[in-house]
Structure formats: structure tokens, C-alpha cells
Amino acid sequence: MESMLNKLKSTVTKVTADMTSAVMGNPVTREFEVGRHIASGGPGMCWRIYNGTKKSTKQEVAVFVFDKKMVEKYQKFDKDQIIESLKRGVQQLTRLRHPRLLTVQHPLEESRDCLAFCTEPVFASLSNVLGQWDNLPSPVPTDIKDYKLYDVETKYGLLQISEGLSFLHSGVKMVHGNLCLENVILNKSGAWKIMGFDFSISSTNPSDAEPKYSCKEWEPNLPPLCLPNPEYLAPEYILSVSCDAASDMYSLGVVMHAVFNEGKPVFQVNKHDIFKSFSRQLDQLSRLSPTMLNKIPEEVREHVKMLLSVTPNVRPDADQMTKIPFFDDVGAVTLAYFDSLFQRDNLQKSQFYKNLPKVLPKLPKRVVVYRILPALTSEFVNPDMVPFVLPNVLLIAEECTKDEYVRLILPDLSPVFKQQEPVQILLIFLQKMDLLLTKTPPEDIKNSVLPMVYRALEAPSIQIQELCLNIIPTFANLIEYPSMKNALIPRIKSACLQTSSLAVRVNSLVCLGKILEYLDKWYVIDEILPFLQQIPSREPAVLMGVLGIYKCTFSHKKLGIPKEHLAAKSLPHLVSLSIDNNLNLNQFNSFMAVIKDMLTRMEAEHKTKLEQLHSMQEQQRYQSNHSLLSSSDVVMSDIDDVFGGSSGSAGVNGKANGNSASMSLTLEEKQRLAKEQEQAAKLRNQPALAPQSIKPATPSTQAKDLTSCLLNNMTSLGSLSLTSPPRPGLIQGSTISAYPSTTPMGSMASNGYNPTMGFQTGGQGMRPPGPGLYGGMATTTSTPNFGALTHNQGSTNTPDMSALDSLFTSNKPKVSLNQMAPPKLTPGTTATPWLNQFGSAQPSQTAPMQGAPLVMGGVTSGFGMQANPFFSPQNFSQPTAAPVMNAGGGLRHSLSVNNDLKDLFG
């Protein structure tokens, strides 16, 4: 890479040094900046062509430079001859002015090292284009190396040379004398121009009708630069030392042959023996074979053959050549018309420009861009022609690349953007706005294109405003969002509110409706929809335009109107507009359809929101209840742990509840809770169940003997307690914890009943099982005191127990419960030891009450009272007198009770 850079640097340095050394000191450099070496041309390809610019005006030019070092090998006389010949040719060219001749911008200047003059911008010589690269920079420029002539360029180029010869022969009475490929120059636009008048011959009698030309004899000893190119000279010039206009026509025939044969002339001439070569050439020309002309197009082949005739009178003149059918090609005619536009009036130009779009697609792009486009843009200085020229320029711009557009077209379009008259200019630009926004750089769009659109919206012409509003939606997607929001939309709104034209107002609304999709949702809601309420007009078309914007905003998937805005602003506005008297039935139906759609969506959205809120509230309520239940379970588990409950189950439950209380609900749990809430809601919505009559169950034939079961249980329990020592009695009204006590089991009756335990003083009976039973906190209930039943000394009334006689079976002798009632003990009677075990006092158990009191075998009082009919408070109510203690620390029992119990328990 470094070697390539060094090589490039050395090449550039060398070229620059050569150019500097060649032009240094030449007066041309005072007014012109000399650029790079681009081509070569002139007699013997001796002129180097550089591009350049005029310092004062920055006008582009071509600088022709002849380096005198090229002739240092010659003697002084020969050098002087060469210099004089070159100077004569340039001076002659400078005096001649014609579109077909190369235009000189600055005359020849001589310095010690070079000759130099300036012309119009040049691309290359025809010889360079056809492959002769003598005196060109190394490497050969790519644009010359790859250049290929199109048919239309060839046809029109040959036509231009013919017209140039016609001017010389008819207008100036001059013979060029050295027409060849190196003396034909292609300018920057591709036009073919004639130069190299070093050997031109003027007529000796210009005033006479028949011009006469004196020809110099060929001098083979002169340097080649002092002689014309013999391969293009007519035979009579060498052999008979005569020439006239026909001699130039022969040269034209050779040029035409070379153009179609890759730059090769008809014959190769031996310059050392030129007379013999021309003699041989005469014989070949007299019997010219068709194979020599087979590459020439058939429609011009015959004319070329006539031009190459050995007889000068047979050759057609220049005027005749310009009229041959070969040059009637539509492209050649179009290019020829452009070259003659300065001679046309505006009417003729306008007619031509109207038909030009039909021809442009048939022409090569290079021809259109470099030949036609400059001619079109030159008409921009004529405002009347701009509406006719501008469509063609924009048509060419469509085929150009972005770089070509910016470099070749935009500089000429920028001044036109600012023109407001004629009106058609704005209309044409608006119709091609997509092209302008696509290829114009952003900075130029901001500074030139969009201001033109803004001026169109503010133009006094209603026609321009309407067209602008109709076209804006077609290129709205190409406008940057800030420009649209801050500049375009406000002007559209202003045009709608300030205009007196109904068409402009309606088109403004339609335009807004079409560009809504390029706007932000909240900008539409905050700026566009409030603007609709400011429109004072109530024409049906305007109302329908307003409805259209509401409908587009409401139904567009990117925009939409929030339900709050619908309820507060949009619907009230639409409802008020819908009852306008100017609307017909169809228009009213359109309003109502949109209003109904808005109401439906608003209802659905708000209903969904309320359902979600309700669901969240239900979920929170459920979670709250679940937390309370979990807390209760944790408390029960803690109580079980404290009072010796089931350690395994309590530990598991406690851990689970702890986790549920501490962990947040997962998605699956929330879904399960939602399903449970849904199921609960369904159950609540079901109708209440009607009570149904239940038939009493048929009593079994074999009734269970409850008395026997009771006696057996009492006997077994009593036998286990006979050896128990006497215990002090409980304080009346005391309760026992529902959980097992830490006191040894031997200190309590095995069956769970305490003979000294009675009902609480304030007790009014036992509560049925309820939430307190299963919720973990049962109310305190009284426990019957069997000791009081048998040892109540203060009781005078015997309770009637006959109501319980029906509980005994019928196949055994009935024992009246009245007989089982304890009779009064006579004073001094001592109870049996068996009864003393029920009367012995138990140690006081004063643990705090945490659950339902145990009545029998650890079963809660509520459950035991329902299951055992003996625990009916109505049958076991007794006074609350304290039991009388005997001397031995036990209760006194009567003998009758002892005897009855013996009968009862066998």
C-alpha cells in the first residue's frame, strides 16, 4: 500500500512539475488557473490540453499548451518553422467564430518555454476517443480509455463537421487543408469542433463567385509538424499541387471511414516515398472494393464512396452532405435543434420543449446529460420558458444518480425554487416533489424545497393552494417529522381557518386526514382534534371532513382516541355536529355510525377496567381472609407445641403456614385463586336451595342398651381408680384446658370426670358447636359436678328423671331414674370407700383457658354435651352451695345412694 502511494505521489509530482515547467512564466497563468492534463490534440497531437478556470469569474476553460522542448531536436530553422505554423493556426482559429469551430477564450500567449491559449471546456480530441493516446498523461484517464461513441453522437458529430466545412467553404471562402481526427475536438458537452487551421488556404478572390485557392507544393524535407497529415490529404494536393473545397470533402470522407473503423484511415501512406504511395492510392481509389467500406453504415456508404472519388467534381459539397438522409435521425435532429435555439423565438421554443419528453427516452444518457441538459438549464434565465423547460429537466433528473443530480442539476434548480411567477413553476415542482425530496440533500431540502411548499400554501392563488394540499399526502412520508410538525401542519391549519374558499378548507381537512398516520398519537390528540373544534364553518363537506379525521384517528391502529377524551371532548363534539340541519340522511347515518362505534369501544374498555378492578379487590379480600386463617392456624400450632399437642402435625402445619405467610403468591397460585373466586361467584349467583322435608328414620328393631354400656364403662373406669389417693377438690367454677396438662395423669380421674367439679355459677347451659369449636378459640363452658349430685347436703327437692326412662330398652326390666337419684344422707352416715374416690379432691389445675374444656377423655365439652344425654343442664342444675367436707377430707355420701349405685353397677 505504501509503495502504491509513493508511486502515485511521484506521478502527481512529475505531472505537476512538467505542467509547471511548461506553463511557468506564460502570460496565460496570470488570468487562468491551470489544472490537470486531460487530453491532447492538434497537428501531430502536439498540443497538451489541461483543464483550468478563469481567476476572476471561475469560468471553466481548457488550456492548450505546446512545450517547446518537443522541437529541441530540430535545427533552429525547422524549430522556427514549426512555431510559426502553430502560431498561424491558433491565430486563424481565434479570428473565426462559428458554433462548429472551437471557441477561443483567450488568444495565444508565448513564453520562452511554451505556447498557450485558452478555449471553451474540452473533453478530448476525436483521435484520443478513437484510441490514439499520444502525448497523454500516464496512465491514460479512465474516461477517455472507456469512452465509446454512440450512433447518435457519430451521426451528429459528422453533421457538425459538415456544417463547419460548409461555413468555411461558403461563408469564409477558405479551405481547411488538414481536416483529420486530431484536429476535431470534442468539447465538454460532446459537440464536435474543428481546429488546426495551420495549413488553411483562403481564396485569392473572395469577392468573386468562384473562389480560387493557391496550394503549396509538398516539401518532404520539412518536419512533420510543418506539413499536413498526408493520410487525409486528397490525391490532387500531392500529385497536381491543386486544392479547393472538394479537397476538404475528400478529407471528410477519410474521417468518416476512420470513425467507423476504429480510427484507421483508408490508406497507410509511406511518408518517405509519398509520391509513389499516392500514385498507388489513385489506382486503388479508382477501383475501390466494397470490402473496404463494409463497416460503414449502408445508408451513408454510397456517400462516403463518392467523397473518396479521385475526381473532385464527383464529390458532394458540404451543403449537400448536411442534407443527406443519414443525418435525418431523430436524435441528430434534436441535437441540431438545440444548437440552433438561439435563433428561435419563444413560440418555436415552447413547441419544441413540449414535444421533447417523447424524444428524451430514445437518447443515450450521456448525450442527454452532457448535451441536452446544459441547453435546457441555460433557458432558466428566461422566466417565460421555465414552465416549458422545467418538466424536461426533472425528467432527466429522474434518470440521473443522486451524485449527478447534485452536481449537474441542483445548482441550476436552486434559483428556480424561489420563483413564484409564472404560477406553473410551483405546480410543476409540487407534482415532482417526491423526486426533489428523494435526491436533494437534507440541507437543501430545508433551505430551498420546503420553503417553496410553504409559499405555495400561503400563495394568494386558490388553485395553487388546492394543488399543494392535494399533493402533500403523496410525499408526506419523505418529510422529516420536526418539519412536518412545526412548519407544515401549522400552515395547513392556517389555510383552513383563514381561507374563504370552501374547496381549500375541505382539501385542508382531507390533507390532514391523509397524513395522520405520519404523526404522533398525542400530537394528534393535543393539536389536531382541538383544532377541529375551532372550525367555524358548518357546510356539509366541512362537517364530513371533520368526521373523517375523527374516524381515521379513532380507527387507526397506531393512533386511537383514549376513552377519557372520547367521553369528555370527542363524543360531545360529534354529537353536536351530527344534529346540524345541513346534513342529509346519509351524512347523519355516517355520524351516528362513528358515534356508536366510539360508544361501544368506550363501554367495552371501561367495563374491562371495572372488571379488572373488581377482580383485584376480590383477590385482595381473598388474600386477606387467607392470611387471617393462616394466622389462626399458626396460633393453634403454637398452642399445640406449648401444651404438648401432636408435635409432628403441629410442626408441619406451622411450617406450611409460615411459608404461606412469608412467601408472595406465584402466578400459578394467583390463577388458582382467580378460579376459586370465579367458582365462588358462580355459587353466589345460584338460586337458594329450598328446604326439603326429611322423613324420620325408622327406629331399628334392636335398640342399643345405653344403660349397660354406661354401667360397663363406669365399672371399668372405677376399677382403675380404686387405688387412687384422695385429692383436694377443685375450686367451684374452675375449668380444665382443652390441651393435655403437664400434670401426671395419676392426679386426675382416668375417665376425665371430677366428682368435685360443678357448673359455673353464671352458666345458663352449653353452647352448640360453632365457629369457636373449630376456629381454635372455644368459649368457656361449665362442666357438671357429679360430686354435687351425690353429696349435696343443702338440696331438699329430688329431681325428677322420669323423662329419661324412654332411653332404656324394653326387653330388660326398667329401672326408674328416680330410683337412681341420691336420697338425703342421714347425719353421721359415712360414704363407702368406692364413692370416696369420686369425692376425693383433685389438685387445682388453673392453667389458662385456650380452648374448649375437656369433659370426658379429652373430648371438648361441646361435643361431649351433645353426645351424652346425661349432660343436659335442665336435669343437672343444682345449687351452687359449696360441698361439705368430712373429717377425712372427702364428701359425705348416704347409704341409699351407695345401695342404689350397687344395684346400678351390679
Side-chain angles (χ1 to χ4, degrees), residues 474-539:
T474 62
F475 61 83
N477 60 319
L478 302 176
I479 301 177
E480 294 181 352
Y481 183 70
S483 299
M484 180 180 294
K485 181 177 68 173
N486 299 325
L488 183 61
I489 298 296
R491 284 177 169 83
I492 295 177
K493 293 160 59 176
S494 176
C496 180
L497 294 176
Q498 297 178 3
T499 185
S500 59
S501 171
L502 176 62
V504 172
R505 188 175 290 116
V506 173
N507 287 327
S508 300
L509 295 174
V510 173
C511 179
L512 283 177
K514 290 182 178 179
I515 64 177
L516 284 177
E517 58 181 321
Y518 307 114
L519 301 176
D520 180 69
K521 173 181 178 179
W522 295 109
Y523 178 80
V524 174
I525 294 174
D526 296 337
E527 298 293 336
I528 303 299
L529 298 186
F531 155 73
L532 299 179
Q533 301 180 10
Q534 301 174 9
I535 301 176
S537 177
R538 286 296 180 266
E539 290 86 355

Side-chain angles (χ1 to χ4, degrees), residues 583-837:
L583 298 177
N584 58 30
L585 179 60
N586 292 333
Q587 294 167 344
F588 174 75
N589 290 336
S590 300
F591 267 91
M592 295 311 298
V594 175
I595 291 173
K596 289 178 181 178
D597 291 341
M598 290 182 174
L599 287 172
T600 301
R601 182 179 296 184
M602 184 179 66
E603 177 187 3
E605 291 180 359
H606 197 63
K607 185 176 180 181
T608 302
K609 177 182 177 181
L610 293 178
E611 289 176 350
Q612 292 175 352
L613 290 175
H614 179 73
S615 176
M616 293 173 62
Q617 293 172 356
E618 289 291 329
Q619 183 176 355
Q620 292 175 357
R621 188 180 298 112
Y622 178 84
Q623 291 176 356
S624 176
N625 294 338
H626 183 72
S627 299
L628 291 175
L629 292 176
S630 300
S631 301
S632 301
D633 292 343
V634 171
V635 172
M636 290 298 296
S637 299
D638 293 341
I639 294 174
D640 289 341
D641 292 340
V642 172
F643 293 100
S646 176
S647 61
S649 62
V652 173
N653 292 336
K655 181 179 180 181
N657 292 334
N659 290 338
S660 63
S662 62
M663 294 175 60
S664 61
L665 296 178
T666 63
L667 178 61
E668 291 77 11
E669 291 174 341
K670 291 181 179 180
Q671 292 176 346
R672 178 175 57 80
L673 292 176
K675 291 181 180 179
E676 293 176 355
Q677 294 171 9
E678 182 179 359
Q679 187 66 23
K682 290 182 179 179
L683 292 176
R684 286 195 300 270
N685 295 332
Q686 290 181 355
L689 297 177
Q692 298 179 358
S693 60
I694 301 176
K695 296 181 180 181
T698 306
S700 59
T701 57
Q702 184 68 28
K704 187 174 182 180
D705 190 354
L706 297 179
T707 304
S708 300
C709 294
L710 179 61
L711 293 176
N712 293 334
N713 292 334
M714 296 292 286
T715 303
S716 61
L717 293 175
S719 65
L720 294 174
S721 305
L722 290 176
T723 60
S724 299
R727 295 179 295 261
L730 289 173
I731 300 174
Q732 184 178 359
S734 65
T735 59
I736 301 176
S737 172
Y739 297 93
S741 174
T742 56
T743 306
M745 293 298 295
S747 64
M748 183 181 290
S750 299
N751 60 355
Y753 298 103
N754 193 330
T756 63
M757 186 180 298
F759 293 102
Q760 290 183 0
T761 306
Q764 297 298 325
M766 286 178 279
R767 294 171 58 186
L773 177 62
Y774 304 103
M777 298 297 294
T779 57
T780 303
T781 56
S782 300
T783 304
N785 191 340
F786 288 108
L789 293 176
T790 57
H791 305 109
N792 190 354
Q793 299 294 328
S795 176
T796 57
N797 296 327
T798 302
D800 187 5
M801 297 184 181
S802 60
L804 300 176
D805 291 342
S806 61
L807 295 175
F808 296 97
T809 58
S810 58
N811 56 354
K812 292 185 180 181
K814 295 182 179 180
V815 180
S816 173
L817 290 182
N818 291 325
Q819 298 176 3
M820 298 170 59
K824 300 177 183 178
L825 289 177
T826 57
T829 305
T830 304
T832 62
W834 183 85
L835 291 177
N836 286 337
Q837 68 176 325

Side-chain angles (χ1 to χ4, degrees), residues 60 99-100 102 120-124 147 149-150 152-153 156-157 160 185-193 335 338-339 364-378 408:
E60 188 177 4
R100 303 300 177 242
L102 187 63
E120 60 182 301
V122 168
F123 170 70
Y147 194 90
L149 288 171
Y150 292 107
V152 63
E153 291 178 304
Y156 186 58
Q160 288 175 307
I185 302 297
L186 277 66
N187 70 0
K188 199 70 176 286
S189 299
W192 292 15
K193 301 294 185 81
L335 295 177
F338 271 107
D339 290 337
K365 178 181 176 181
R366 187 177 68 213
V367 175
V368 171
V369 172
Y370 292 100
R371 293 295 305 276
I372 296 179
L373 181 61
L376 291 174
T377 55
S378 64
L408 301 174

Side-chain angles (χ1 to χ4, degrees), residues 10 41 74 171 222 250 270 300 315 366 385 421 434 464 474 502 523 718 799:
S10 63
Y74 296 106
L222 289 176
Y250 177 89
N270 184 2
V300 75
R315 301 167 193 162
R366 187 177 68 213
M385 286 292 101
E421 295 292 339
D434 54 343
I464 294 179
T474 62
L502 176 62
Y523 178 80

Side-chain angles (χ1 to χ4, degrees), residues 306-467:
M306 293 172 64
L307 291 173
L308 296 176
S309 174
V310 294
T311 305
N313 296 332
V314 177
R315 301 167 193 162
D317 59 28
D319 289 333
Q320 292 172 342
M321 283 299 298
T322 59
K323 296 180 174 67
I324 63 175
F326 178 70
F327 298 133
D328 288 340
D329 181 78
V330 61
V333 172
T334 302
L335 295 177
Y337 198 93
F338 271 107
D339 290 337
S340 62
L341 276 177
F342 64 94
Q343 303 174 357
R344 316 288 179 175
D345 58 21
N346 287 347
L347 181 60
Q348 292 174 328
K349 291 180 181 179
S350 62
Q351 293 296 329
F352 171 73
Y353 290 139
K354 285 181 181 179
N355 297 324
L356 184 59
K358 302 176 183 178
V359 181
L360 290 178
K362 301 177 183 179
L363 298 177
K365 178 181 176 181
R366 187 177 68 213
V367 175
V368 171
V369 172
Y370 292 100
R371 293 295 305 276
I372 296 179
L373 181 61
L376 291 174
T377 55
S378 64
E379 290 286 348
F380 284 156
V381 296
N382 185 359
D384 295 333
M385 286 292 101
V386 173
F388 302 99
V389 174
L390 189 57
N392 296 288
V393 174
L394 296 179
L395 182 62
I396 296 173
E398 291 180 356
E399 303 299 327
C400 291
T401 63
K402 188 172 183 178
D403 177 68
E404 292 172 339
Y405 169 81
V406 173
R407 180 167 48 90
L408 301 174
I409 300 178
L410 184 59
D412 295 312
L413 280 182
S414 296
V416 184
F417 287 141
K418 301 177 183 179
Q419 295 184 14
Q420 298 187 16
E421 295 292 339
V423 175
Q424 290 81 359
I425 297 177
L426 278 175
L427 301 182
I428 295 170
F429 275 132
L430 291 175
Q431 292 171 351
K432 293 292 184 179
M433 191 57 63
D434 54 343
L435 168 68
L436 298 178
L437 295 177
T438 302
K439 295 191 175 182
T440 306
E443 190 67 23
D444 292 297
I445 291 177
K446 182 179 179 181
N447 297 332
S448 300
V449 179
L450 289 182
M452 179 188 62
V453 177
Y454 304 152
R455 288 196 303 272
L457 287 173
E458 298 170 350
S461 173
I462 294 177
Q463 180 184 4
I464 294 179
Q465 288 184 340
E466 289 184 30
L467 180 62

Side-chain angles (χ1 to χ4, degrees), residues 7-143:
K7 183 177 179 181
L8 178 61
K9 181 179 179 181
S10 63
T11 302
V12 173
T13 304
K14 181 181 178 181
V15 171
T16 306
D18 292 344
M19 182 271 299
T20 305
S21 62
V23 187
M24 184 74 67
N26 194 290
V28 170
T29 59
R30 298 173 187 171
E31 299 184 27
F32 298 91
E33 291 284 349
V34 181
R36 63 185 182 89
H37 184 190
I38 58 174
S40 63
M45 309 288 286
C46 66
W47 291 97
R48 288 184 177 180
I49 305 175
Y50 298 85
N51 59 12
T53 56
K54 193 171 184 177
K55 294 181 179 179
S56 59
T57 62
K58 302 301 180 182
Q59 179 185 1
E60 188 177 4
V61 297
V63 181
F64 283 70
V65 178
F66 174 75
D67 191 355
K68 291 183 178 181
K69 293 180 181 180
M70 295 179 63
V71 295
E72 285 182 350
K73 61 182 180 180
Y74 296 106
Q75 298 295 327
K76 185 178 183 301
F77 175 78
D78 293 338
K79 285 196 288 187
D80 293 342
Q81 289 286 335
I82 294 172
I83 298 299
E84 288 299 324
S85 175
L86 293 175
K87 292 169 67 175
R88 182 172 58 251
V90 175
Q91 292 169 355
Q92 186 70 21
L93 177 64
T94 303
R95 287 193 294 265
L96 298 173
R97 293 285 180 175
H98 191 270
R100 303 300 177 242
L101 305 182
L102 187 63
T103 303
V104 177
Q105 301 285 357
H106 188 83
L108 180 69
E109 298 282 358
E110 184 178 5
S111 65
R112 184 182 63 180
D113 297 323
C114 69
L115 300 175
F117 67 99
C118 297
T119 68
E120 60 182 301
V122 168
F123 170 70
S125 65
L126 184 58
S127 182
N128 291 153
V129 170
L130 293 176
Q132 298 180 22
W133 300 336
D134 298 340
N135 210 12
L136 280 178
S138 179
V140 178
T142 306
D143 50 355

Side-chain angles (χ1 to χ4, degrees), residues 196-216:
F197 288 86
D198 305 40
F199 308 101
S200 61
I201 303 172
S202 298
S203 174
T204 56
N205 53 348
S207 59
D208 296 341
E210 188 69 24
K212 294 181 181 180
Y213 303 97
S214 62
C215 182
K216 293 182 180 181

